[in-house]
Amino acid sequence: NLRFKHISVEQGLSNSTIECIFQDDRGFIWIGTRDGLNRFDGNQMVVYRYSPVDTNSISDNYIHCISQDQSGAIWVGTSNGLNRFDPKTAGFTRFKTKTENQSSISHNLITSICEGKTGELWIGTWSGLNLYLPGKRSFLRIYANEIYGAPENQLNCLYQDSSGRLWVGSEKGLYY
């Protein structure tokens, strides 16, 4: 028998439309909604929202994807940028596209995040695939027209299998 408990806005959830769910290595459940990022410890909900006066807040309230890297940082993709949450400072670092800077992320609508087997961070956007280069705090943009047989640029999901192959789901199908 399956038993479900309902968690709603009345219990502190920021919005009733859930876009993604992730459990980190400390046991927190991260819930991405259309109106904020929620962290649940089993008892209490903490909500993170965008604030125009706080540069350490998340870049947008519409959350699309959540992941964690080997260092313990939480990565959050939104409709308006990529964010790195540092659990030690409880602050966000924002990564947004800059048309004049080819080392910035290719698009602000982040659709997927996938950490590779060797620690690399792949970011899917509405305008291509990005590889985060942590030492440089920059991105390598990978566009479909640069790779023979690659999907078109509107990416939906990423996955790396046990053989190290990166799987890419796009509007035009599945590729690896």
Side-chain angles (χ1 to χ4, degrees), residues 37 48-50 54-60 69 71 73-78 80-98 105 108 110 113 121 123 132-134 136-139:
L37 176 67
Y48 300 93
R49 284 195 173 100
Y50 168 71
D54 182 0
T55 58
N56 292 317
S57 71
I58 196 163
S59 64
D60 192 73
D69 67 21
S71 75
I74 305 295
W75 291 85
V76 183
T78 74
N80 192 23
L82 177 67
N83 300 266
R84 181 185 183 276
F85 178 79
D86 184 341
K88 293 177 186 140
T89 65
F92 291 89
T93 302
R94 301 174 187 169
F95 298 91
K96 296 181 94 174
T97 190
K98 297 177 179 102
I105 198 156
N108 284 332
I110 311 301
I113 305 168
L121 199 63
I123 312 296
Y132 178 63
L133 307 170
K136 297 180 179 182
R137 291 182 52 130
S138 65
F139 297 85

Side-chain angles (χ1 to χ4, degrees), residues 58-131:
I58 196 163
S59 64
D60 192 73
N61 290 331
Y62 197 124
I63 312 301
H64 289 278
C65 52
I66 307 166
S67 188
Q68 184 175 31
D69 67 21
Q70 291 176 356
S71 75
I74 305 295
W75 291 85
V76 183
T78 74
S79 289
N80 192 23
L82 177 67
N83 300 266
R84 181 185 183 276
F85 178 79
D86 184 341
K88 293 177 186 140
T89 65
F92 291 89
T93 302
R94 301 174 187 169
F95 298 91
K96 296 181 94 174
T97 190
K98 297 177 179 102
T99 52
E100 71 282 356
N101 182 352
Q102 290 298 304
S103 295
S104 68
I105 198 156
S106 63
H107 198 279
N108 284 332
L109 198 162
I110 311 301
T111 58
S112 50
I113 305 168
C114 176
E115 184 178 35
K117 301 297 181 213
T118 58
E120 70 276 15
L121 199 63
W122 296 98
I123 312 296
T125 74
W126 207 237
S127 177
L129 181 63
N130 297 258
L131 177 60

